[in-house]
Amino acid sequence: LHSLRRRQRQMCIRDRIDKENGICRREYHMIGLIVARSKNNCIGKNGKIPWKIKGEQKQFKELTTGNVVVMGRNSYDEIGHPLPNRETIVISKSKKYVGRNIHTASSVKEAIELAKGKDVYIAGGYGVYKEAIPLVDVMYITEININIEQGDVFFPEFDENDFDITIEEMSEDNEQFTRKIYRRKVAVKNRNFKEQRYEYYCTAVSS
Protein backbone atom coordinates (compact mmCIF):
# COMPACT_ATOMS: atom_id res chain seq x y z
CA LEU A 1 0.00 0.00 0.00
CA HIS A 2 2.81 2.40 0.91
CA SER A 3 4.63 1.68 -2.36
CA LEU A 4 1.42 2.29 -4.32
CA ARG A 5 0.85 5.61 -2.59
CA ARG A 6 4.47 6.60 -3.21
CA ARG A 7 4.04 5.72 -6.90
CA GLN A 8 0.87 7.82 -7.04
CA ARG A 9 2.67 10.75 -5.42
CA GLN A 10 5.49 10.49 -7.94
CA MET A 11 3.06 10.46 -10.85
CA CYS A 12 1.07 13.40 -9.48
CA ILE A 13 4.15 15.52 -8.80
CA ARG A 14 5.36 14.64 -12.28
CA ASP A 15 2.00 15.78 -13.66
CA ARG A 16 2.39 19.06 -11.78
CA ILE A 17 5.87 19.64 -13.23
CA ASP A 18 4.58 18.82 -16.71
CA LYS A 19 1.62 21.19 -16.30
CA GLU A 20 3.89 24.02 -15.12
CA ASN A 21 6.21 23.49 -18.09
CA GLY A 22 3.53 22.97 -20.73
CA ILE A 23 4.31 19.30 -21.43
CA CYS A 24 1.70 16.77 -22.55
CA ARG A 25 2.86 13.17 -22.05
CA ARG A 26 1.03 10.76 -24.33
CA GLU A 27 1.70 7.91 -21.89
CA TYR A 28 3.51 7.58 -18.59
CA HIS A 29 7.26 7.40 -19.11
CA MET A 30 10.55 8.42 -17.55
CA ILE A 31 12.59 11.45 -18.54
CA GLY A 32 16.26 10.96 -17.76
CA LEU A 33 19.45 12.87 -18.39
CA ILE A 34 22.83 11.26 -18.93
CA VAL A 35 26.16 13.09 -18.89
CA ALA A 36 29.83 12.73 -17.99
CA ARG A 37 31.59 15.75 -16.55
CA SER A 38 35.06 16.52 -15.22
CA LYS A 39 35.90 17.74 -11.73
CA ASN A 40 35.67 21.31 -13.02
CA ASN A 41 32.28 20.60 -14.66
CA CYS A 42 33.59 20.42 -18.25
CA ILE A 43 31.71 18.27 -20.77
CA GLY A 44 33.39 19.30 -24.02
CA LYS A 45 36.45 20.82 -25.63
CA ASN A 46 36.88 21.76 -29.29
CA GLY A 47 33.71 19.88 -30.21
CA LYS A 48 34.89 16.61 -28.61
CA ILE A 49 34.61 14.71 -25.35
CA PRO A 50 38.00 15.55 -23.77
CA TRP A 51 38.82 12.11 -22.36
CA LYS A 52 38.91 8.46 -23.33
CA ILE A 53 38.43 6.11 -20.40
CA LYS A 54 37.75 2.41 -20.84
CA GLY A 55 34.24 1.49 -19.77
CA GLU A 56 33.14 5.06 -19.15
CA GLN A 57 30.52 5.06 -21.94
CA LYS A 58 29.14 1.61 -21.12
CA GLN A 59 26.29 3.03 -19.07
CA PHE A 60 25.07 5.21 -21.93
CA LYS A 61 24.52 2.21 -24.19
CA GLU A 62 22.91 0.13 -21.44
CA LEU A 63 20.42 2.83 -20.48
CA THR A 64 19.49 4.18 -23.89
CA THR A 65 19.19 1.00 -25.99
CA GLY A 66 15.56 0.48 -26.96
CA ASN A 67 14.59 3.97 -25.85
CA VAL A 68 14.68 7.56 -27.13
CA VAL A 69 17.81 9.73 -27.12
CA VAL A 70 17.42 13.50 -27.39
CA MET A 71 20.40 15.64 -28.33
CA GLY A 72 21.28 18.95 -29.91
CA ARG A 73 22.36 19.44 -33.51
CA ASN A 74 26.07 19.85 -32.71
CA SER A 75 26.09 16.69 -30.59
CA TYR A 76 24.39 14.74 -33.34
CA ASP A 77 26.65 16.08 -36.09
CA GLU A 78 29.67 14.99 -34.05
CA ILE A 79 28.32 11.41 -34.08
CA GLY A 80 27.19 11.69 -37.69
CA HIS A 81 24.47 9.01 -37.74
CA PRO A 82 21.45 7.74 -35.78
CA LEU A 83 22.37 5.56 -32.82
CA PRO A 84 21.64 1.86 -33.41
CA ASN A 85 18.68 0.23 -31.65
CA ARG A 86 17.40 3.60 -30.45
CA GLU A 87 15.24 6.44 -31.67
CA THR A 88 17.16 9.69 -31.99
CA ILE A 89 15.48 13.08 -31.76
CA VAL A 90 17.65 16.03 -32.74
CA ILE A 91 16.86 19.48 -31.36
CA SER A 92 17.26 21.96 -34.19
CA LYS A 93 15.40 25.01 -35.46
CA SER A 94 17.56 25.43 -38.56
CA LYS A 95 18.05 21.92 -39.94
CA LYS A 96 15.66 19.02 -40.55
CA TYR A 97 16.74 15.45 -39.82
CA VAL A 98 14.55 12.77 -41.40
CA GLY A 99 15.19 9.06 -41.71
CA ARG A 100 14.81 5.71 -40.06
CA ASN A 101 14.76 6.14 -36.29
CA ILE A 102 15.65 9.84 -36.48
CA HIS A 103 13.37 12.83 -35.99
CA THR A 104 13.68 16.56 -35.49
CA ALA A 105 12.13 18.72 -32.78
CA SER A 106 12.41 22.42 -32.10
CA SER A 107 12.65 22.04 -28.32
CA VAL A 108 13.10 19.49 -25.55
CA LYS A 109 9.39 19.78 -24.72
CA GLU A 110 8.45 18.90 -28.29
CA ALA A 111 10.91 15.98 -28.27
CA ILE A 112 9.31 14.56 -25.12
CA GLU A 113 5.89 14.68 -26.76
CA LEU A 114 7.30 12.92 -29.86
CA ALA A 115 8.66 10.09 -27.71
CA LYS A 116 5.22 8.42 -27.60
CA GLY A 117 5.51 6.88 -24.16
CA LYS A 118 9.06 5.54 -24.36
CA ASP A 119 11.73 6.40 -21.81
CA VAL A 120 13.62 9.52 -22.87
CA TYR A 121 17.32 10.21 -22.25
CA ILE A 122 18.68 13.72 -22.70
CA ALA A 123 22.23 13.54 -24.09
CA GLY A 124 23.42 17.15 -24.52
CA GLY A 125 24.82 19.58 -25.26
CA TYR A 126 24.73 22.55 -22.92
CA GLY A 127 21.56 24.25 -24.19
CA VAL A 128 19.60 21.00 -24.32
CA TYR A 129 20.74 20.06 -20.81
CA LYS A 130 19.79 23.49 -19.48
CA GLU A 131 16.28 23.26 -20.92
CA ALA A 132 15.85 19.67 -19.72
CA ILE A 133 17.04 19.87 -16.10
CA PRO A 134 13.74 21.31 -14.75
CA LEU A 135 11.85 18.50 -16.51
CA VAL A 136 13.86 15.37 -15.72
CA ASP A 137 12.97 12.67 -13.21
CA VAL A 138 16.50 11.34 -12.85
CA MET A 139 20.03 12.32 -13.88
CA TYR A 140 22.81 9.79 -14.47
CA ILE A 141 26.00 11.77 -13.95
CA THR A 142 29.46 10.25 -14.34
CA GLU A 143 32.04 12.27 -12.44
CA ILE A 144 35.41 12.05 -14.23
CA ASN A 145 38.30 12.47 -11.82
CA ILE A 146 40.26 14.97 -13.90
CA ASN A 147 40.32 18.72 -14.51
CA ILE A 148 40.08 19.86 -18.12
CA GLU A 149 42.11 22.90 -19.07
CA GLN A 150 40.63 25.28 -21.62
CA GLY A 151 37.36 23.39 -21.85
CA ASP A 152 34.67 25.29 -23.72
CA VAL A 153 31.42 23.48 -22.84
CA PHE A 154 30.26 22.98 -19.27
CA PHE A 155 27.32 21.27 -17.60
CA PRO A 156 24.69 23.76 -16.41
CA GLU A 157 24.46 24.64 -12.75
CA PHE A 158 21.50 23.15 -10.87
CA ASP A 159 20.25 22.88 -7.30
CA GLU A 160 21.39 19.55 -5.86
CA ASN A 161 18.88 19.97 -3.03
CA ASP A 162 16.15 19.08 -5.53
CA PHE A 163 17.55 15.54 -5.82
CA ASP A 164 18.40 12.46 -3.78
CA ILE A 165 21.94 11.41 -4.70
CA THR A 166 23.30 7.87 -4.66
CA ILE A 167 26.61 6.42 -5.82
CA GLU A 168 25.97 3.61 -8.27
CA GLU A 169 29.41 2.52 -9.46
CA MET A 170 33.10 3.41 -9.33
CA SER A 171 35.79 2.54 -11.83
CA GLU A 172 37.82 -0.55 -11.00
CA ASP A 173 40.70 1.46 -9.56
CA ASN A 174 38.27 3.86 -7.81
CA GLU A 175 40.18 6.77 -9.32
CA GLN A 176 39.05 7.40 -12.89
CA PHE A 177 35.32 7.98 -12.48
CA THR A 178 32.32 7.67 -10.20
CA ARG A 179 28.74 7.22 -11.38
CA LYS A 180 26.07 9.07 -9.42
CA ILE A 181 22.30 8.98 -9.75
CA TYR A 182 20.32 12.13 -8.99
CA ARG A 183 16.65 11.26 -8.42
CA ARG A 184 14.22 14.15 -8.10
CA LYS A 185 12.81 14.27 -4.61
CA VAL A 186 9.12 13.52 -4.18
CA ALA A 187 9.03 14.93 -0.65
CA VAL A 188 7.71 18.49 -0.54
CA LYS A 189 6.93 21.03 2.17
CA ASN A 190 3.48 20.77 3.74
CA ARG A 191 3.36 17.21 2.46
CA ASN A 192 -0.20 16.32 3.48
CA PHE A 193 -1.69 19.42 1.90
CA LYS A 194 0.36 19.03 -1.26
CA GLU A 195 -0.46 15.35 -1.66
CA GLN A 196 -4.16 15.99 -1.32
CA ARG A 197 -3.99 18.75 -3.91
CA TYR A 198 -2.01 16.60 -6.36
CA GLU A 199 -4.33 13.61 -5.91
CA TYR A 200 -7.32 15.84 -6.65
CA TYR A 201 -5.60 17.31 -9.70
CA CYS A 202 -4.74 13.87 -11.08
CA THR A 203 -8.22 12.53 -10.46
CA ALA A 204 -9.72 15.52 -12.24
CA VAL A 205 -7.47 15.02 -15.27
CA SER A 206 -8.22 11.30 -15.58
CA SER A 207 -12.00 11.61 -15.24
Side-chain angles (χ1 to χ4, degrees), residues 29-193:
H29 59 260
M30 186 276 302
I31 303 174
L33 179 154
I34 186 165
V35 67
R37 64 178 180 177
S38 68
K39 290 172 65 176
N40 59 330
N41 211 36
C42 179
I43 61 175
K45 180 178 179 180
N46 299 325
K48 303 289 183 182
I49 297 175
W51 55 75
K52 289 186 179 180
I53 299 175
K54 183 179 180 181
E56 182 268 313
Q57 295 187 354
K58 177 183 70 172
Q59 184 187 58
F60 181 89
K61 182 177 180 181
E62 291 176 346
L63 288 173
T64 61
T65 296
N67 293 303
V68 176
V69 179
V70 176
M71 64 182 70
R73 180 174 58 84
N74 291 337
S75 298
Y76 177 78
D77 287 345
E78 180 184 342
I79 298 171
H81 57 82
L83 297 171
N85 304 314
R86 282 152 280 197
E87 288 188 44
T88 302
I89 300 178
V90 182
I91 306 297
S92 177
K93 294 181 179 179
S94 60
K95 190 174 180 179
K96 193 77 171 178
Y97 295 85
V98 179
R100 185 177 181 182
N101 293 329
I102 183 169
H103 312 278
T104 308
S106 61
S107 67
V108 171
K109 294 176 183 178
E110 183 182 347
I112 291 170
E113 293 181 8
L114 288 174
K116 298 179 181 178
K118 293 186 178 180
D119 286 347
V120 175
Y121 289 91
I122 310 298
Y126 171 84
V128 175
Y129 283 140
K130 186 176 182 179
E131 183 184 351
I133 287 174
L135 311 177
V136 299
D137 305 306
V138 58
M139 299 193 294
Y140 298 88
I141 299 181
T142 299
E143 310 279 0
I144 308 296
N145 192 28
I146 56 175
N147 284 303
I148 300 298
E149 296 183 0
Q150 299 180 340
D152 49 31
V153 185
F154 296 85
F155 191 67
E157 298 291 335
F158 66 95
D159 189 350
E160 292 191 356
N161 293 320
D162 291 339
F163 298 87
D164 290 319
I165 306 170
T166 57
I167 296 177
E168 182 187 41
E169 179 186 1
M170 302 182 74
S171 55
E172 292 182 359
D173 56 11
N174 293 337
E175 294 182 357
Q176 291 186 303
F177 64 81
T178 302
R179 300 195 195 281
K180 295 181 180 180
I181 301 178
Y182 292 70
R183 290 186 174 87
R184 191 175 296 279
K185 293 178 179 178
V186 297
V188 293
K189 293 180 181 180
N190 303 319
R191 171 177 286 187
N192 292 336
F193 169 78

